Every structure is written in structure tokens, then in C-alpha cells.
Amino acid sequence: MEENWVKIYTTRDTFTAEVIKQGLSEEGIPAVAINKQLAAYNFGEIEIMVNKSNFDSAIEYLVKNDIE
């Protein structure tokens, strides 16, 4: 999977990750959230990844929606 997918966003907030993932999906951009947090402490990050072919569209979505 990692060969065809690239990270476009990183957050520590589960809700933010899900909102971004859902928004990308609604725009027709398949996305996955990879949770690398330790469950007990919420220490770590969640990465939003898209297919390389959708990278430009995904970045445009983040910019259009003022997601930093």
C-alpha cells in the first residue's frame, strides 16, 4: 500500500482526521486515516493518506478548506 499512497496531513486529533478523510471522500478522493497513536495515552499522530494520483486534488481540497 505504501508504494501508491502518500501522506497529505498529520494530526493528533481523531475527530479532525475523520472530518478530513470524509471530506476528501465526498470530493471523490479516496483517503485513509492511519492511526499511529498509543491507545491508552493518545500519544502519537494520525496520518491522512491518498493515492499518488490524487495528491494534487487532495492538496487543493486542503487549501480550499483552509486546513493547515
Side-chain angles (χ1 to χ4, degrees), residues 3-48:
E3 294 175 13
N4 296 321
W5 293 77
V6 291
K7 178 173 56 174
I8 61 159
Y9 193 79
T10 303
T11 183
R12 292 183 178 191
D13 182 36
T14 305
F15 181 76
T16 299
E18 287 301 319
V19 168
I20 292 171
K21 185 180 94 170
Q22 182 63 31
L24 288 164
S25 295
E26 289 175 4
E27 293 287 320
I29 304 168
V32 294
I34 299 177
N35 189 338
K36 295 185 174 182
Q37 293 182 327
L38 295 174
Y41 303 104
N42 286 339
F43 180 76
E45 297 178 329
I46 303 166
E47 298 176 347
I48 305 297

Side-chain angles (χ1 to χ4, degrees), residues 40-56:
Y41 303 104
N42 286 339
F43 180 76
E45 297 178 329
I46 303 166
E47 298 176 347
I48 305 297
M49 301 184 78
V50 298
N51 191 286
K52 286 181 182 179
S53 63
N54 294 320
F55 179 78
D56 291 336

